[in-house]
Amino acid sequence: MWLAVLAASLGAAAAGRVLGKAVTAALVVVVPFALWALAIHGLFFPEGRTVLAAFGPARVTAEGLAYAGGIVLRTAALVVVMLAFSTWVEVPVLRAALVRRGVPAQLGYVLSTALGLASTVAERLERIREAQEARGLVVRQSLPGRIVAARLQVVPLVLQLVDEAGERAPALEARGQALPGRRTSYVDEPDSRAQRALRWVLAVASLAVVVSVMVPAVAGVLGGGR
Amino acid sequence: MSHQLTVDAPRRSPLRTFLTILGVAAVVATYAFLIVSEPADVVNGPSASSALVALVGFGLAMVLLFAGILPTLPTTTLALIPVALVLNIVLGQFVGSTLVPIYLDSIGTVLVGYLAGPSAGATTGLLSNLVWSFFNPSVLPFAAGAAAIGALAGLSARLGIVRRFYLVPIAGLVTGFVAAAIAAPIAVIVFGGTATGATGAIIALFRAAGEGLVQSVTTGAFTSDLPDKLVTFSVAAALAYALPRRSTQRFEFVRRYRVLAGAKRTGEPADSKAAPAA
């Protein structure tokens, strides 16, 4: 089942022409997770019965491997679905779509600003490092040396960012960020009747799945608890 | 539509307070369910229904808290939140994959909690995980823990703990305890007790000693969250004191509850020169 989800989301990513980006981003997340899952559950699974190989305290068991495989597959499905969305989506369009559906405008502001800032901050950190190195900063191997170096780079960054945020606040205020009421957007979201219908179908279907799984689970716990 | 240009942000209304309470209730209910239904037998594979309950419950709580809190935040706070999110991510990567079992991925959240109060801190925690999940979706299920961290940071600032900075590490430890207690069941149920980095190594160690999965993950969560939050709270307090007063006193929360020491007395030399590195 998880393989089907994986295939479907990869297909969607391919249709959205972001397959490469989505796969790269997903591999960055999934590969370390899979390695650790193998290390934890593949080697050490005291409940396992079928021992395939043993090295001292580490025993490779069939049950452990199956468990790790299941977890990794499930996580990979979750990760790929979400990354296929986040690599495909254009943040301004997402923001317009959210605002049009009555989501507080603040959420759109925070999302788009944070995603925009993330790319500039890395660049700015680089510039601060260069400036500090020009002033004679040498990153030493020792732990205190690293802490000093981190402090010299992080404190200016934080000061700069917080100060900028303080300056942005009056500007936002002057543009009526805090006012209630309708927002107009420069960006229009592409939409069609078919898409709208499909969305409703999918929403109802997922709601049905969630309810059909959750109700017995919750009822079971409540019944068992008493 | 006769708005004044300087109209205040819509502050708390009964409906919004109700939504916030409902959101907190959703977190508590989901958590209680996860504890009660904690899988005793991991051998049968990961249980999908508990994971779904966890995701749906915490997702619902997230929506309710956003609807309840976001519109009430003043603009100064709102402008700070994206900065905090980026700090979380950048500083978290700064420490990155060292073999110390700490992640330091909530310094920005704690800083907002200190400067703007519990509800702003909780929102920042939620948003941080939401934005981070654009790059790494596996952090999204831990949003409830991040919200609790922000809220507790704000609460400790309000109680004057940041003013008496010798208490900050203790507040950090308490928060670490709560964060670990929230994160451990999620780590077991959603990710089958798999963690990367040093926390994963601790889990593997306890599993090698024959401990149960829930036991090992809980131990791993506590050994990494307690020192992590201790360091995070201390670093965030140091940053708050390093900021120029012009920046910190902009926040009504800081002024009203006198969060930072030395805010009342003027002309303190240490304060005006607090940022020599800038």
Side-chain angles (χ1 to χ4, degrees):
Chain A
M1 184 172 77
W2 300 120
L3 283 176
V5 174
L6 269 178
S9 50
L10 286 178
R17 301 215 183 98
V18 289
L19 185 60
K21 251 164 69 180
V23 168
T24 318
L27 284 181
V28 169
V29 177
V30 173
V31 167
F33 186 86
L35 289 179
W36 276 103
L38 282 181
I40 295 174
H41 306 301
L43 293 180
F44 310 104
F45 202 75
E47 291 88 351
R49 291 279 167 269
T50 330
V51 181
L52 302 177
F55 323 91
R59 306 181 308 140
V60 181
T61 60
E63 286 86 351
L65 286 180
Y67 183 79
I71 285 291
V72 168
L73 209 54
R74 193 169 88 179
T75 308
L78 171 80
V79 166
V80 170
V81 167
M82 292 191 55
L83 281 178
F85 168 74
S86 67
T87 48
W88 166 80
V89 77
E90 284 169 39
V91 177
V93 178
L94 174 66
R95 187 178 176 182
L98 286 177
V99 167
R100 208 171 63 91
R101 286 176 182 73
V103 175
Q106 287 90 339
L107 182 65
Y109 168 74
V110 171
L111 275 185
S112 52
T113 312
L115 291 172
L117 264 180
S119 52
T120 61
V121 161
E123 190 183 303
R124 203 175 285 183
L125 200 59
E126 181 78 359
R127 215 179 307 148
I128 291 174
R129 192 177 55 81
E130 284 171 5
Q132 295 284 24
E133 278 175 350
R135 295 173 68 196
L137 169 74
V138 179
V139 182
R140 298 193 201 292
Q141 279 294 316
S142 66
L143 186 66
R146 276 171 187 273
I147 291 178
V148 168
R151 189 201 157 279
L152 283 176
Q153 294 170 58
V154 166
V155 172
L157 179 74
V158 175
L159 294 189
Q160 200 177 28
L161 287 176
V162 173
D163 202 48
E164 266 183 23
E167 278 163 22
R168 216 171 293 137
L172 284 172
E173 193 83 46
R175 280 156 185 76
Q177 169 78 39
L179 294 179
R182 277 178 55 86
R183 262 60 171 178
T184 42
S185 173
Y186 286 128
V187 195
D188 233 3
E189 46 165 334
D191 203 355
S192 66
R193 180 165 296 208
Q195 282 190 32
R196 212 170 302 150
L198 181 64
R199 269 205 309 272
W200 275 107
V201 171
L202 286 178
V204 171
S206 19
L207 194 69
V209 170
V210 166
V211 168
S212 69
V213 173
M214 265 181 76
V215 167
V218 173
V221 164
L222 287 183
R226 273 177 203 152
Chain B
M1 295 301 247
S2 60
H3 289 309
Q4 289 175 317
L5 265 182
T6 53
V7 71
D8 277 337
R11 285 317 183 101
R12 292 199 177 83
S13 67
L15 175 67
R16 295 215 171 88
T17 314
F18 179 67
L19 285 175
T20 312
I21 293 171
L22 218 57
V24 174
V27 171
V28 173
T30 312
Y31 184 67
F33 175 83
L34 295 184
I35 292 294
V36 172
S37 72
E38 194 131 83
D41 50 336
V42 288
V43 191
N44 301 336
S47 99
S49 61
S50 308
L52 191 64
V53 171
L55 292 181
V56 170
F58 287 133
L60 195 67
M62 199 178 205
V63 172
L64 289 171
L65 287 176
F66 276 148
I69 299 177
L70 260 184
T72 68
L73 292 179
T75 312
T76 35
T77 308
L78 192 71
L80 186 67
I81 289 180
V83 168
L85 305 192
V86 172
L87 284 181
N88 279 347
I89 296 173
V90 169
L91 297 185
Q93 281 174 350
F94 218 75
V95 181
S97 51
T98 49
L99 269 180
V100 190
I102 56 178
Y103 358 91
L104 296 190
D105 56 357
S106 47
I107 292 182
T109 307
V110 174
L111 192 63
V112 172
Y114 285 170
L115 295 179
S119 54
T123 317
T124 310
L126 288 178
L127 279 168
S128 172
N129 279 31
L130 190 66
V131 170
W132 205 333
S133 69
F134 271 66
F135 311 106
N136 182 356
S138 68
V139 300
L140 191 59
F142 295 103
I149 293 166
L152 286 173
L155 202 64
S156 54
R158 184 166 171 170
L159 295 175
I161 285 175
V162 183
R163 194 166 59 232
R164 309 178 187 89
F165 30 83
Y166 48 89
L167 288 177
V168 166
I170 301 172
L173 282 181
V174 172
T175 307
F177 189 85
V178 174
I182 294 179
I186 303 172
V188 173
I189 289 168
V190 180
F191 295 113
T194 306
T196 53
T199 315
I202 295 170
I203 295 173
L205 186 72
F206 278 89
R207 291 291 278 165
E211 292 276 353
L213 186 64
V214 177
Q215 205 80 39
S216 313
V217 173
T218 312
T219 320
F222 276 103
T223 40
S224 53
D225 263 322
L226 287 182
D228 174 55
K229 296 302 168 294
L230 190 145
V231 174
T232 300
F233 267 56
S234 311
V235 169
L239 284 175
Y241 277 105
L243 287 172
R245 280 190 55 192
R246 183 167 60 90
S247 303
T248 51
Q249 298 299 315
R250 234 191 292 246
F251 295 94
E252 196 200 334
F253 179 78
V254 174
R255 293 197 303 269
R256 191 194 297 170
Y257 296 102
R258 218 156 64 75
V259 169
L260 300 173
K264 265 279 161 64
R265 287 158 286 161
T266 46
E268 204 169 16
D271 239 9
S272 50
K273 290 184 180 174

